[in-house]
Amino acid sequence: MIALVDCNNFYASCERVFKPSIKYLPVVVLSNNDGCVIARSNEAKELGIKMGAPIFQIEKFCEQHQVQIFSSNYTLYGSLSNRVMKTLANFTPNIEVYSIDEAFLDMANWLDKDLVQYSVQIKKTVQQHVGIPVSIGVAPTKTLAKMANRYAKKNNRVFGVHVVQTANEIEALLTQTAIGDVWGIGTQHRKKLLLNGVKTAADFVQLSEEWVRKNLTVVGQRMLNELKGIPSIAWEELPPPKKVICTSRSFGELLTQKEDIAQAVANHANKCAVKLRKQKSCAGVVQVFIHTNNFRTQDKQYYPSITIQMPIATNSSSEIIGYALKGLNIIFKTGYNYKKAGVIVLDIVPETQVQYGLFDSVDRVKDKQLMVSYDKINALFGTDLVRFAAQGFSKRWRLKQEKLSPCYTTRLSDVYVIKR
DNA sequence: TCTGGGGTCCTAGGACCC
DNA sequence: TCTGGGGTCCTAGGACCC
């Protein structure tokens, strides 16, 4: 049996942990640049605020209904996520952290227990230790556990737990789940299935394997098995190293000058290098792209990108910044209003398997030492205290974050002071 | 004025090889 | 007149997820 533990309205719940005064008020969290709604408390959902709604369209409505609006604070959410996962890890040796707010727990060791009781205990412990409400679904496969979790969230808000074990329980769950709500069915597959009369998960499991294979590829075939109670999705305790790493952002304002965009690109390139070093990998290829804003129909549009093969795979910030800026130089054209820039690194290999070149002119030993020190210092201070010249200090490209909450758990000056 | 960011997996089709 | 067969690798694009 597998449990899926999912934090309820995670970002919105995080904002409440250190601000109990908004516990019963509707809360929404915005995407980067304060663009659109990406998380909502139950109260906000009940008001009819839609996922992805652009905030400028609903600002007035929010004011009327006392909706508490926050810029996204990933430092805070990441930190609280770690606390949740640590708490969960105390319950089972086998945990797969699936995303920032979800984890699968292997329940094989607890089959002699009452799984409902045990799940309620897990939920209470997370609430007590971290202050985040979770829902728990328990079932024989990951896909069914997801489904059970969804059911718990919807129908059992008090205990937030749903366990399906017997064939009858599974059957009942499948019957009550609309096809579009199955994990792995998006809008396109949903459309196709509805056209073929498949309305629920129960209808789906009646389909022939051939039909599913032909229309939904092997991915659909796996889903079919999972829904029938046959585990077909691998268990991954350690996240596999990333094959592609991307860092991109919209700018806080439209930019026209190459110098401003170059600073953004340098920052993104550095972030990619940091991510590479963190997973002990090197990349052989860098891509750079810039975008105009396609919502502005009055503007000329331009979406260039460039792929650069580096002579030797690397994770050095200075090298990757250098190549990224070279790329920008080639694709940048004046006369456009740019909205976004990004850097992607790919052809990723483990640090230990880099092919060195005969005519390499870079002092890699020295560079490596520099990067180690760089990472150490910035890890110590928890910010990017040390910076590369190309990153600059311009604020022009930076995010709009007008409603940012404090970093209660990661920045000393933001920690709560309790008066005695 | 204002519309997110970062990933994965799969397939089809072309290039290329023997 | 006739124009193989089997394979790999790579890329772009589609679909999905949180």
Side-chain angles (χ1 to χ4, degrees):
Chain A
M1 294 287 279
I2 296 172
L4 174 70
V5 182
D6 189 323
C7 301
N8 299 344
N9 315 324
F10 184 55
Y11 298 169
S13 299
C14 287
E15 295 295 348
R16 278 178 172 164
V17 170
F18 293 93
K19 202 169 177 186
S21 61
I22 61 170
K23 192 168 171 186
Y24 301 104
L25 293 176
V27 174
V28 300
V29 177
L30 305 181
S31 62
N32 278 334
N33 267 321
D34 295 346
C36 47
V37 173
I38 57 165
R40 306 158 293 161
S41 70
N42 286 339
E43 297 76 10
K45 288 178 190 170
E46 276 153 21
L47 282 173
I49 297 174
K50 294 271 179 290
M51 188 73 170
I55 189 65
F56 73 91
Q57 286 175 3
I58 58 168
E59 225 154 11
K60 206 155 205 164
F61 177 86
C62 287
E63 206 172 313
Q64 285 161 2
H65 292 85
Q66 283 192 58
V67 178
Q68 307 297 303
I69 304 174
F70 292 90
S71 304
S72 33
N73 183 345
Y74 287 102
T75 314
L76 177 66
Y77 311 151
S79 155
L80 291 185
S81 170
N82 285 337
R83 293 183 184 193
V84 170
M85 300 310 169
K86 267 190 198 158
T87 306
L88 293 177
N90 290 329
F91 284 93
T92 168
N94 299 322
I95 169 171
E96 177 185 331
V97 177
Y98 178 70
S99 74
I100 193 165
D101 70 336
E102 277 172 76
F104 289 105
L105 272 54
D106 183 357
M107 302 294 261
N109 291 334
W110 318 112
L111 292 184
D112 55 326
K113 294 196 188 226
D114 178 339
L115 289 175
V116 175
Q117 289 275 326
Y118 194 60
S119 302
V120 169
Q121 193 190 331
I122 295 175
K123 179 182 163 68
K124 282 186 176 163
T125 308
V126 175
Q127 179 71 56
Q128 192 187 341
H129 288 195
V130 197
I132 295 283
V134 301
S135 300
I136 303 182
V138 185
T141 66
K142 284 183 168 179
T143 308
L144 287 171
K146 270 270 194 189
M147 205 177 268
N149 185 294
R150 203 181 157 279
Y151 183 90
K153 268 208 175 79
K154 241 180 113 178
N155 303 296
N156 193 352
R157 275 203 197 167
V158 179
F159 292 107
V161 165
H162 190 56
V163 177
V164 288
Q165 208 156 7
T166 66
N168 281 342
E169 288 168 340
I170 294 177
E171 173 69 31
L173 182 63
L174 294 178
T175 310
Q176 291 182 58
T177 305
I179 190 64
D181 294 331
V182 175
W183 188 37
I185 303 288
T187 49
Q188 298 308 311
H189 288 340
R190 175 172 168 270
K191 246 188 245 166
K192 191 183 277 184
L193 287 165
L194 284 178
L195 282 178
N196 285 275
V198 178
K199 298 194 189 77
T200 67
D203 297 338
F204 185 73
V205 294
Q206 298 300 319
L207 295 170
S208 78
E209 220 167 290
E210 294 69 41
W211 191 92
V212 173
R213 166 83 215 215
K214 193 167 163 248
N215 290 278
L216 282 85
T217 77
V218 295
V219 179
Q221 221 175 353
R222 266 201 295 268
M223 278 167 23
L224 199 57
N225 279 326
E226 285 262 320
L227 293 182
K228 290 176 178 171
I230 307 160
S232 307
I233 299 177
W235 189 267
E236 284 170 351
E237 306 224 341
L238 295 176
K242 304 240 180 295
K243 298 165 182 173
V244 173
I245 291 173
C246 171
T247 307
S248 74
R249 290 283 181 284
S250 299
F251 308 133
E253 53 184 287
L254 290 174
L255 297 180
T256 54
Q257 301 300 309
K258 187 157 81 177
E259 295 67 37
D260 290 328
I261 297 173
Q263 293 196 354
V265 166
N267 276 276
H268 298 338
N270 178 49
K271 184 69 97 182
C272 285
V274 169
K275 290 179 188 171
L276 280 170
R277 295 199 293 275
K278 199 163 176 196
Q279 70 164 31
K280 299 194 186 314
S281 299
C282 289
V285 171
V286 185
Q287 290 179 339
V288 183
F289 65 84
I290 47 182
H291 275 190
T292 47
N293 182 354
N294 62 350
F295 285 105
R296 286 174 58 93
T297 45
Q298 70 272 38
D299 281 4
K300 279 185 299 178
Q301 300 294 318
Y302 181 46
Y303 299 79
S305 79
I306 187 168
T307 302
I308 299 166
Q309 176 81 48
M310 299 187 286
I312 291 169
T314 181
N315 58 21
S316 146
S317 290
S318 50
E319 266 196 283
I320 293 177
I321 291 173
Y323 285 109
L325 290 178
K326 266 185 203 165
L328 176 68
N329 249 323
I330 297 168
I331 57 176
F332 180 86
K333 281 202 267 183
T334 46
Y336 293 93
N337 292 322
Y338 293 98
K339 177 63 182 166
K340 181 174 178 179
V343 175
I344 304 170
V345 290
L346 48 167
D347 257 28
I348 292 177
V349 294
E351 237 171 13
T352 49
Q353 290 174 24
V354 173
Q355 290 284 325
Y356 293 102
L358 211 46
F359 307 105
D360 190 10
S361 59
V362 179
D363 185 343
R364 288 180 195 276
V365 176
K366 203 170 152 189
D367 211 45
K368 172 89 197 167
Q369 288 168 345
L370 177 64
M371 287 305 124
V372 168
S373 309
Y374 170 93
D375 289 336
K376 263 191 197 159
I377 295 171
N378 284 346
L380 193 62
F381 290 92
T383 58
D384 48 351
L385 188 72
V386 184
R387 302 164 59 78
F388 291 83
Q391 289 178 258
F393 288 96
S394 160
K395 294 278 176 232
R396 303 197 64 182
W397 64 273
R398 285 177 189 280
L399 291 179
K400 195 168 111 189
Q401 290 182 312
E402 289 171 356
K403 300 171 198 262
L404 193 60
S405 51
C407 292
Y408 300 103
T409 57
T410 51
R411 186 184 294 151
L412 209 49
S413 56
D414 288 358
V415 171
Y416 258 100
V417 177
I418 312 276
K419 294 219 170 95
R420 298 193 248 194

